[in-house]
Amino acid sequence: MITGKTNVIGVIGNPIEHSLSPPMHNAAYDEMDMDYVYVAFRIEKEDISKLIESAKVMNIRGLNVTIPYKTDVIEYLDEVDETARRINAVNTISFKDKVAKGYNTDGTGAVKSIEKYTTLEAKNVLVLGAGGASKAITFTLINNNINKLTIANRSRENACKLIDNLKRECNFDNIEFIPIGEAGDILGDVDIIINTTPIGMYPNVDVDTPIETGNINENHVVMDIIYNPLETKLLRQARKNGATTISGTNMLINQGITAFEIFTGKTPSYESFEKALLEQLK
Ligand SMILES: NC(=O)c1ccc[n+]([C@@H]2O[C@H](COP(=O)([O-])OP(=O)(O)OC[C@H]3O[C@@H](n4cnc5c(N)ncnc54)[C@H](OP(=O)(O)O)[C@@H]3O)[C@@H](O)[C@H]2O)c1
């Protein structure tokens, strides 16, 4: 039951009505018998500064941040964790003693998901896309000692901006750009493939795959960060070719679990998050 003592946590974004975070976090509070509630707030960009100050005075314990505010929110925070600062995106804010501190759990969410299936150390990784999610994921991959990173993207300019930033922030030079249309040809030299483009996302589920899948084989681990559908056309074809496949639900759950830990100091079960998420996606 929600009482005067209940701790409030939330997520901000715009639009926000379809956020899957409230059901995941609330399911875990129920399972763990914690006096917390997690709600969604639709926020306009010009109100972000007021929002952070209001959250402090209202004693809100934490906020997740989703599209389109992960970078805009940074200037209004009191502290930003080193990883989030280098990625230049925050998806989790903790409030303690009126100090708002930002973190980024997207990259660790992705890496944890891959590490359930394979190690990252010394691997050659191909990342499709160079947008916001790619930024967090590529940064974290490099911090986990991969050997080589190839970024395949539609716009060379956007990919090169990301590559320059990664080289500067991570002191890591083994990064290459390839036009996304050519990425299917280099798979012989790749161990792990991660799709961060929206190609294959609902409702365009059967239209296209982000790369030609003919050369994907049983030696590849393929993760698609799209979570709707649960199995994208890319993952379906990769699975048929014998590859190990990882659905985007894994990253969504793992980034949420790390945020939950930051907010409450407790670790929820993967299963409680997964069950709530799958019920929503059904
Ligand atoms: N599972 C999770 O937890 C999680 C977390 C975050 C995001 N996501 C999903 O990840 C996807 C990307 O999100 P984001 O925030 O990174 O988006 P974003 O910042 O808009 O970046 C999108 C990227 O995809 C590329 N792209 C878009 N449309 C394309 C097309 N038709 N053909 C080729 N490339 C295309 C863009 O290329 P250009 O640079 O050429 O424009 C860009 O590199 C979304 O589907 C989102 O739902 C999942």
Side-chain angles (χ1 to χ4, degrees), residues 8-9 22 47-48 100-101 107 122 144 154 168 174 182 192 206 225 237 257:
V8 180
I9 295 195
D47 293 330
I48 297 178
K101 179 166 181 180
N144 279 270
R154 178 176 59 180
R168 196 176 50 246
N174 205 4
E182 296 170 23
I192 299 168
D206 266 324
I225 73 165
Q237 295 193 349
I257 287 176

Side-chain angles (χ1 to χ4, degrees), residues 54-81:
S54 306
K56 287 180 188 173
V57 296
M58 290 170 70
N59 208 17
I60 285 179
R61 296 305 172 104
L63 289 172
N64 281 126
V65 183
T66 187
I67 292 170
Y69 301 136
K70 290 184 184 184
T71 299
D72 294 327
V73 80
I74 290 178
E75 65 175 295
Y76 304 107
L77 302 178
D78 302 302
E79 293 176 16
V80 179
D81 146 275

Side-chain angles (χ1 to χ4, degrees), residues 66-67 70 106 109-110 128-135 137 151-159 180 195-199 201 210 224-228 247-256:
T66 187
I67 292 170
K70 290 184 184 184
D106 283 330
L128 315 174
S134 174
K135 214 162 52 165
I137 292 171
I151 297 183
N153 201 46
R154 178 176 59 180
S155 145
R156 173 185 286 268
E157 195 191 341
N158 289 347
I180 196 158
N195 175 44
T196 75
T197 77
I199 300 169
M201 189 164 74
D224 200 326
I225 73 165
I226 291 171
Y227 46 80
N228 187 10
S247 161
T249 52
N250 290 258
M251 172 175 164
L252 190 63
I253 292 167
N254 281 320
Q255 63 76 27

Side-chain angles (χ1 to χ4, degrees), residues 84-122:
R85 187 195 61 71
R86 290 163 82 181
I87 296 169
N88 197 30
V90 157
N91 78 333
T92 299
I93 306 170
S94 73
F95 295 91
K96 279 194 190 111
D97 303 324
K98 298 214 171 3
V99 174
K101 179 166 181 180
Y103 302 83
N104 190 306
T105 70
D106 283 330
T108 42
V111 160
K112 261 199 211 170
S113 307
I114 296 168
E115 283 177 335
K116 203 160 113 185
Y117 298 90
T118 188
T119 53
L120 283 164
E121 176 134 15

